[in-house]
Amino acid sequence: MTKLTEKSGSRPPWVGLAAAAWVQTSAGSGSTFPLYSSALKSVLGFSQQQVTILGVACDLGENMGLLPGYASNKFPPWSMLLIGASSCFLGFGVLWLSVSQIVHGLPFWLLFIALAIATNSNSWFGTASLVTNMRNFPLSRGPVAGLLKGYIGISGCAFTVLFSMVLHHSATNLLLFLTIGIPVICLTVMYFIRPCIPATGEDPSEPMYFAFLLATSIVFAAYLVVTTVLSEVFILPSILKYVLVAIMVLLLLAPLAVPIKMTLFRSNAKSSPLGSSDNIAKEEGSHEEPLLTPSTSASNLGPIFEGDDESDMEILLAQGEGAVKKKRKPRRGEDFKLDQAFVKADFWLLWFVYFLGMGSGVTVSNNLAQIGLAFGIKDTTILLCLFSFFNFIGRLASGAISEHFVKSRTLPRTLWMGAAQLVMVFTFLLFATASDLTIYVATALIGVAMGFQFLSIATISELFGLRHFGINFNFILLGNPLGATIFSAFLAGHIYDKEAEKQGNMTCLGPDCFRVTFLVLAGVCGLGTLLSVILTVRIRPVYQALYASGSFRLQPQSTGH
């Protein structure tokens, strides 16, 4: 792994976290798809299934993170942000040229690839900021993951505000902003997202800092919702619109208050360095053990290999005392490479829980504009903002709630993933009733429940370590585009076009457009709930070992396979 220069001091991690808030907000460009999907359909003459397939390209690119995950252990964060900015510029640039009709006749497959490349920038952005900050705050993984993923969740609402107030509801203007604006933002802050040296002891002020960040992010999200509603209900003068957008920018700068406070009012608390955030990944689960101890007696060898699979013949291969070192297999709670995690049932249970929950949820988000039209809602801007806000609340609340119970009751985070999918079962049944009044409630509930599925990120770091966290969690995220392909493109898109064909129109109206889809998705989430219960029971002993002292242990004792 390339040796990176670590930034020392107590303030740099918080500066990096503040910069990551901007990157993560930019990394939510995939949520803007409903804002320009109608333009793809009308300007380019696509069917709903073609638009849905482009939505799959959006999810595919956003979650193809194996390469960024591998790169996070090899390259500095700034280089990953540079790659993300480049793919964002190229991918959205092609879409802008097509929708603005500067270039005519681009084939469908090229637009599919362009959209996948464009949204793949989010994977580079998200991996660089998330992995770096998880390592910079190893004792606060739940709040950090919830906060950063929360900013991605609310980004759809932020883009909606820009879309309605500054970009004049123009899909062409939005795509131009995504092409140029996002790369500029990420290139501006990329220097500040870097490995830092955390402290061993928990800073007594740290909970207060995180509480402040959570509070300001909630204020930011609520402000976006109120602003969106105001812009849709009232005709606002141009100067007021720009003032409201300026306030939005100031609220997004709020996380900088923590390092500014630390600069102006220095704490006297002492803490000892833990080593670089990259070295944490190396130290957290080191598995090298000497085959021979200083004493050559067999009785001394016994405890070393108790419960392991090494045979006596392997031990005899060592020549000379301490001459040979043997790597034992990691245990849950220690560092796993991806191929080592592959053979663990818990890894695949977590993958399928995430696949079922996110796959069904993203079917709603990808088709939200068409669902709204089918329910008789002509302007779906408020619906998108509502989904984005409650998705943000779900991501944020999941981190805080799971962190409390994992430390106080050693309850695995997967318990809350399952509870959220149980809520999704009833929500899809609510969608299927096709009542005009319930669509807003159902959209909000789906947003919250989807947010809880991102607990898989903190879970993967706890079960399989931080050293290979980037590639491990990005493999879990592949459940998102696979679910979108199966449930959104093949199921929802196909049924929608069939119903539209019956009505003799390209646009389907009425409850039958998505009713069957909602009923199937209710069953899918029921299965996800069952699997999450099984996984929670299996990994409860691991969490009891990891959080026995009330906080996460960086070098946990083995609990067995």
Side-chain angles (χ1 to χ4, degrees):
M1 178 171 147
T2 304
K3 180 63 178 175
L4 305 181
T5 302
E6 298 88 23
K7 187 71 174 176
S8 62
S10 57
R11 293 183 300 279
W14 295 98
V15 175
L17 190 59
W22 281 83
V23 173
Q24 292 292 86
T25 304
S26 301
S29 60
S31 63
T32 63
F33 182 74
L35 295 177
Y36 59 84
S37 61
S38 297
L40 294 174
K41 194 170 184 178
S42 59
V43 176
L44 304 180
F46 291 156
S47 67
Q48 179 59 30
Q49 189 163 24
Q50 285 179 306
V51 172
T52 304
I53 291 173
L54 288 178
V56 171
C58 184
D59 295 314
L60 183 65
E62 201 167 23
N63 294 278
M64 283 295 291
L66 293 182
L67 185 56
Y70 177 78
S72 67
N73 272 8
K74 298 293 182 181
F75 302 105
W78 67 262
S79 64
M80 298 178 64
L81 294 174
L82 183 61
I83 293 173
S86 301
S87 62
C88 184
F89 175 78
L90 292 173
F92 281 119
V94 171
L95 287 173
W96 174 71
L97 291 173
S98 180
V99 173
S100 63
Q101 296 188 307
I102 294 176
V103 176
H104 296 274
L106 291 180
F108 179 81
W109 63 266
L110 180 59
L111 295 177
F112 181 95
I113 294 174
L115 187 54
I117 291 174
T119 54
N120 187 240
S121 64
N122 299 337
S123 185
W124 289 95
F125 295 150
T127 300
S129 57
L130 185 63
V131 171
T132 304
N133 281 280
M134 289 280 279
R135 291 175 178 174
N136 287 348
F137 295 94
L139 301 179
S140 303
R141 303 182 192 189
V144 169
L147 185 69
L148 293 182
K149 280 298 180 180
Y151 274 108
I152 292 183
I154 197 59
S155 64
C157 209
F159 283 118
T160 301
V161 169
L162 292 175
F163 180 72
S164 60
M165 291 195 170
V166 179
L167 304 177
H168 311 295
H169 288 85
S170 168
T172 303
N173 290 343
L174 175 63
L175 288 170
L176 182 60
F177 175 80
L178 297 177
T179 301
I180 299 176
I182 289 180
V184 169
I185 290 172
C186 292
L187 293 177
T188 301
V189 303
M190 70 180 185
Y191 169 78
F192 301 101
I193 300 177
R194 57 189 302 180
C196 301
I197 300 178
T200 53
E202 293 189 56
D203 184 344
S205 300
E206 188 170 292
M208 179 185 68
Y209 294 152
F210 275 113
F212 170 77
L213 294 180
L214 293 176
T216 54
S217 62
I218 291 172
V219 171
F220 174 65
Y223 175 80
L224 292 176
V225 173
V226 172
T227 304
T228 301
V229 172
L230 287 176
S231 67
E232 293 299 321
V233 174
F234 302 102
I235 301 175
L236 303 177
S238 298
I239 185 66
L240 180 57
K241 290 182 179 180
Y242 287 109
V243 169
L244 292 174
V245 171
I247 295 174
M248 179 186 76
V249 173
L250 289 176
L251 288 174
L252 195 51
L253 288 170
L256 280 175
V258 173
I260 291 174
K261 181 265 179 188
M262 297 175 76
T263 301
L264 298 178
F265 306 98
R266 295 181 180 274
S267 173
N268 294 324
K270 294 182 179 179
S271 59
S272 56
L274 183 65
S276 76
S277 57
D278 289 309
N279 288 338
I280 289 172
K282 298 178 181 178
E283 295 168 2
E284 186 189 41
S286 179
H287 310 309
E288 287 192 352
E289 298 183 0
L291 279 176
L292 294 178
T293 61
S295 170
T296 56
S297 65
S299 61
N300 287 337
L301 287 173
I304 296 177
F305 299 105
E306 185 176 352
D308 288 336
D309 298 328
E310 285 82 353
S311 66
D312 292 337
M313 288 301 295
E314 289 174 312
I315 298 175
L316 293 176
L317 291 175
Q319 299 181 6
E321 294 187 2
V324 178
K325 289 185 177 180
K326 178 70 177 180
K327 283 189 176 181
R328 65 169 172 81
K329 295 179 181 178
R331 294 161 179 161
R332 288 175 300 179
E334 298 176 342
D335 285 325
F336 282 73
K337 294 181 179 179
L338 184 60
D339 60 335
Q340 293 171 325
F342 262 25
V343 299
K344 295 297 179 184
D346 295 338
F347 182 85
W348 287 106
L349 278 170
L350 181 61
W351 190 92
F352 275 104
V353 169
Y354 182 81
F355 158 72
L356 295 172
M358 286 300 295
S360 55
V362 81
T363 301
V364 173
S365 63
N366 280 356
N367 294 279
L368 197 56
Q370 286 71 35
I371 292 173
L373 290 173
F375 276 70
I377 300 174
K378 295 181 179 180
D379 188 352
T380 58
T381 304
I382 294 179
L383 204 61
L384 174 62
C385 191
L386 186 71
F387 173 84
S388 180
F389 173 75
F390 281 97
N391 184 240
F392 161 79
I393 293 296
R395 297 182 191 215
L396 205 64
S398 65
I401 293 172
S402 67
E403 190 76 6
H404 170 74
F405 282 98
V406 80
K407 289 183 176 179
S408 63
R409 303 289 180 85
T410 64
L411 291 177
R413 303 180 197 272
T414 50
L415 175 67
W416 306 103
M417 293 177 67
Q421 291 203 34
L422 184 60
V423 171
M424 292 175 78
V425 172
F426 294 104
T427 304
F428 281 123
L429 295 177
L430 191 63
F431 263 124
T433 62
S435 170
D436 294 342
L437 299 178
T438 61
I439 184 172
Y440 293 101
V441 176
T443 300
L445 289 175
I446 285 292
V448 171
M450 275 186 68
F452 270 76
Q453 302 312 306
F454 286 99
L455 286 173
S456 57
I457 294 174
T459 302
I460 204 76
S461 76
E462 290 163 334
L463 293 180
F464 303 105
L466 278 177
R467 185 173 186 181
H468 305 287
F469 167 68
I471 192 168
N472 288 342
F473 99 81
N474 272 300
F475 185 84
I476 293 289
L477 296 186
L478 288 177
N480 188 319
L482 184 59
T485 302
I486 296 173
F487 303 130
S488 183
F490 294 156
L491 177 65
H494 176 72
I495 293 175
Y496 181 96
D497 283 341
K498 287 292 183 183
E499 292 297 329
E501 186 179 346
K502 291 179 182 178
Q503 298 177 10
N505 200 342
M506 287 186 64
T507 301
C508 180
L509 300 175
D512 293 333
C513 301
F514 290 97
R515 177 171 286 156
V516 174
T517 300
F518 291 143
L519 293 175
V520 172
L521 294 181
V524 167
C525 289
L527 176 59
T529 303
L530 177 62
L531 292 181
S532 68
V533 171
I534 295 172
L535 177 59
T536 299
V537 172
R538 284 177 56 89
I539 64 177
R540 178 72 190 283
V542 182
Y543 275 79
Q544 288 173 331
L546 292 177
Y547 288 93
S549 62
S551 62
F552 188 83
R553 289 188 294 179
L554 288 176
Q555 290 180 310
Q557 298 294 326
S558 297
T559 58
H561 288 283

